[in-house]
Amino acid sequence: MQQRSFDDLGTPLAEVTFCVVDLETTGGSVESCGITEVGAVKLRGGECLGTFQTLVNPGSAIPPEITVLTGITEAMVLPAPRIEAVLPALLEFAGDAVLVGHNLRFDLAFLDAALERSGRPRLRNRTIDTLALARRLVRDEVPNLKLATLASRLRLDHPPSHRALDDALATADLLHLLLERAAGLGVTGLDDLLALPTMAGHAQAAKLKLTARLPRSPGVYLFRDRAGRVLYVGKATNLRARVRSYFSTETRRKVGSLLRETAHIDHVACRHPLEAAVREVRLIHELRPPYNRHARDWERYVYLKLTDETFPRLSVVRTLRPDDGFYLGPLPSTRFARRVAEAIETAVPLRRCTGRPGSVPRPAPCAPAQLGVATCPCAGTTSAAEYAAIVERARRGLTCEPELLLEPLRKRMAALAAAERYEEAADVRDRSEALAQALRRQRRMELLRAAGRLVVELPGQGGAELSGGRLVRSWGCSEDPHEPVPAFDPATAPPDGLPEAAVPRELADELLCVARWLEQEAGRLRLVHAERGLASPLPALPSFAPRRAAPAR
């Protein structure tokens, strides 16, 4: 049987068709026992659409204790059809409904085994186990979770009797009662119900009701405390599913503390995932939520600067200045920037001393120069023209000819490995990879900023207009892009006076976010307008990251 796919797992529960199934068997082993009776009830919107019941010849003797329990004798099942003859009618009755049962795994194991023996595929319907739901929703009200106990304590209309249809009717009553209880936790759709067994046992399960109004569409969500302060900002392609997952699949340590402080959950609906991603970045920058620690790393971004002195050197700085220096970045951290600087200094012998070369040379070259890994203009051993050539090679390596820096590093790494100096070779490899990452990051941001006005469309999602890499307008798939669409946010220009190619660190996250989205969706995007284009004439940058070992067989 092929399962019909649900286009929207958020189908309201009143529109979902359930098929409650129960089996009676000759024992608990799928391999050695057979089915003696099948009962099923079809439900939708709280109404019974039909029932299915038949005895089944198990093809083996029925143990006396089973007869005492169920009342089914061998004489009763002798004229009954075998399960292979019953399956077509049962599959047609169930259709693509959501299968329900109490300890459903037991019943499905017997049905799947019978299907396989008759050459049919296993059941692929979505499933709900009322045992798991009851464990989450009513465990504190009953001494145990047996169907008979639940029917008695919760006063269900149909008492179970260890006969298939009676037990299926009792399970149907239990399902309706549990759905009423689940509604108090914000369970309104099929996706909510499928996830509930893992959610309702959460320590903060009572706060599931805070998600009741969240849509199943892209957007940004904001966790707030009692005072209304934003604790955490996140993005999602399905807001409801993502936020509710915090009560089930999220295992990060900070989630427990976050949920304890949360009193309200707000959201901003977006037209597509790109808008959601950009809104998340901008809200984090604006609100600085305490639980978005990693997303606030932009505050620690730094630049690697090739200074504008007479004899330039590399320096890690935190701010951009209106000077003639060359800035690489922003880079993720001071540590990363220093590793990039080490890679550049390994490839070209820039000076490393921090003094200012004057008219009077220092008495001796600095230590790096004495070791042969740097030049020392301070000692008068290198002329201005010779040093200018070194600086020009570094500039070209950081802009248009990366191999001027990467090739010497590759040769150095190979030489160290050939000499069996593996730790030193690994260190050069890590420096090389840091430099390649920094250049790759720089290219992404510079290409977007230089592209000017860019309009793209993604089939089934809508479109977006970018200006200098920043999102200024977006529309959904049902909106006409030629009609006036409210501006998403004004694209602020970088402060005046900064170097033209420099990227202000407060813009880096958004530019990289847009670049990732364009790369991920490149195969599906339609380019409507490009003021200056996005193609890069520069050669691809290699990766120096070590290859992961293949898993052992």
Side-chain angles (χ1 to χ4, degrees):
M1 176 177 62
Q2 295 295 322
Q3 175 199 5
R4 184 184 65 188
S5 62
F6 283 83
D7 292 332
D8 179 15
L9 275 177
T11 304
L13 291 175
E15 300 175 13
V16 176
T17 301
F18 297 99
C19 182
V20 184
V21 178
D22 188 84
L23 306 180
E24 299 300 331
T25 66
T26 61
S29 171
V30 174
E31 291 77 16
S32 59
C33 300
I35 299 171
T36 59
E37 189 177 29
V38 177
V41 183
K42 206 166 186 177
L43 311 163
R44 184 170 62 241
E47 297 183 1
C48 177
L49 303 181
T51 61
F52 180 96
Q53 181 185 28
T54 180
L55 289 168
V56 178
N57 187 332
S60 61
I62 301 177
E65 61 272 18
I66 297 297
T67 297
V68 171
L69 180 66
T70 64
I72 299 175
T73 65
E74 293 186 13
M76 294 168 62
V77 300
L78 186 62
R82 299 294 297 269
I83 188 62
E84 291 77 13
V86 172
L87 286 174
L90 176 62
L91 295 176
E92 182 179 357
F93 179 81
D96 58 5
V98 177
L99 297 182
V100 181
H102 200 70
N103 191 18
L104 184 60
R105 288 186 302 174
F106 177 87
D107 301 291
L108 289 183
F110 274 88
L111 287 175
D112 284 335
L115 287 167
E116 289 183 347
R117 286 196 300 269
S118 61
R120 293 183 171 88
R122 297 163 67 93
L123 289 167
R124 298 175 59 192
N125 301 54
R126 292 183 172 89
T127 60
I128 297 292
D129 194 333
T130 53
L131 176 62
L133 287 179
R135 183 178 295 116
R136 299 305 185 191
L137 298 174
V138 297
R139 183 64 186 89
D140 296 337
E141 303 175 31
V142 292
N144 60 63
L145 295 172
K146 294 179 180 179
L147 185 60
T149 303
L150 292 168
S152 173
R153 294 299 181 96
L154 301 177
R155 300 181 180 180
L156 302 182
D157 292 339
H158 296 87
S161 64
H162 291 293
R163 292 298 300 268
L165 184 57
D166 288 346
D167 289 4
L169 290 168
T171 302
D173 293 341
L174 178 61
L175 174 66
H176 287 148
L177 182 142
L178 294 174
L179 291 181
E180 292 178 8
R181 297 288 185 92
L185 296 177
V187 175
T188 60
L190 179 59
D191 56 345
D192 298 337
L193 187 63
L194 293 169
L196 183 61
T198 59
M199 290 182 180
H202 194 279
Q204 302 296 325
K207 293 184 178 180
L208 273 169
K209 59 187 178 184
L210 299 177
T211 68
R213 295 176 182 241
L214 294 176
R216 297 171 174 87
S217 58
V220 176
Y221 54 92
L222 301 92
F223 287 87
R224 296 181 182 268
D225 62 14
R226 292 184 181 277
R229 183 180 62 133
V230 175
L231 301 171
Y232 183 79
V233 176
K235 68 178 183 300
T237 55
N238 183 324
L239 280 167
R240 186 180 183 88
R242 178 67 186 105
V243 175
R244 289 179 73 88
S245 73
Y246 281 80
F247 297 88
S248 59
T249 57
E250 275 286 359
T251 57
R252 291 176 292 174
R253 292 196 316 178
K254 71 175 183 179
V255 170
S257 174
L258 170 64
L259 294 179
R260 283 192 296 272
E261 292 188 53
T262 298
H264 310 282
I265 300 176
D266 293 337
H267 75 279
V268 179
C270 298
R271 295 176 176 88
H272 45 66
L274 173 62
E275 182 182 336
V278 172
R279 279 194 184 274
E280 178 195 35
V281 169
R282 294 187 184 179
L283 285 171
I284 289 171
H285 283 212
E286 175 189 350
L287 302 172
R288 301 172 185 251
Y291 282 89
N292 286 98
R293 295 188 183 97
H294 293 298
R296 290 168 55 198
D297 287 345
W298 68 274
E299 297 171 335
R300 298 192 294 273
Y301 286 173
V302 298
Y303 297 87
L304 184 62
K305 178 181 180 181
L306 186 59
T307 62
D308 59 345
E309 303 169 84
T310 305
F311 293 94
R313 61 186 177 85
L314 293 174
S315 175
V316 178
V317 299
R318 294 190 58 83
T319 57
L320 294 170
R321 295 188 181 277
D323 55 28
D324 294 329
F326 175 85
Y327 290 86
L328 179 66
L331 301 174
S333 67
T334 300
R335 181 179 179 182
F336 183 84
R338 286 176 178 158
R339 184 161 284 275
V340 174
E342 291 170 356
I344 299 169
E345 290 168 344
T346 301
V348 290
L350 292 168
R351 75 180 180 98
R352 304 188 189 183
C353 49
T354 57
R356 289 190 176 185
S359 56
V360 179
R362 60 187 295 173
C366 59
Q370 293 182 40
L371 293 172
V373 296
T375 54
C376 188
C378 305
T381 57
T382 305
S383 69
E386 291 172 333
Y387 194 79
I390 295 173
V391 173
E392 178 61 19
R393 193 167 74 182
R395 279 181 176 271
R396 286 165 52 204
L398 292 171
T399 53
C400 57
E401 296 182 64
E403 282 303 306
L404 290 177
L405 300 177
L406 296 176
E407 185 59 28
L409 291 169
R410 189 182 289 109
K411 290 180 178 178
R412 174 68 176 160
M413 182 171 58
L416 289 169
E420 299 184 358
R421 295 161 63 181
Y422 300 118
E423 290 185 4
E424 295 175 69
D427 186 59
V428 174
R429 177 202 65 202
D430 294 342
R431 293 179 189 180
S432 305
E433 178 60 19
L435 176 57
Q437 285 181 15
L439 294 176
R440 203 174 291 121
R441 178 185 174 103
Q442 190 83 358
R443 280 189 190 179
R444 285 175 170 176
M445 294 187 288
E446 289 179 352
L447 274 175
L448 279 175
R449 295 194 74 203
R453 179 173 174 267
L454 187 69
V455 180
V456 294
E457 288 185 351
L458 187 61
Q461 290 190 14
E465 179 182 342
L466 306 169
S467 177
R470 302 201 72 200
L471 181 63
V472 295
R473 211 163 60 101
S474 66
W475 55 90
C477 57
S478 61
E479 296 175 298
D480 185 352
H482 301 293
E483 293 293 326
V485 181
F488 174 66
D489 263 333
T492 55
D496 292 336
L498 293 183
E500 184 178 351
V503 178
R505 61 180 178 177
E506 58 268 20
L507 299 186
D509 284 349
E510 180 174 340
L511 293 174
L512 292 171
C513 168
V514 171
R516 282 192 298 270
W517 184 81
L518 290 173
E519 290 170 3
Q520 290 169 0
E521 304 293 350
R524 299 196 298 148
L525 279 175
R526 186 171 77 90
L527 186 61
V528 179
H529 175 81
E531 186 176 348
R532 301 188 189 96
L534 276 174
S536 172
L538 301 178
L541 289 163
S543 173
F544 292 85
R547 296 180 180 178
R548 293 184 179 181
R553 293 182 178 272

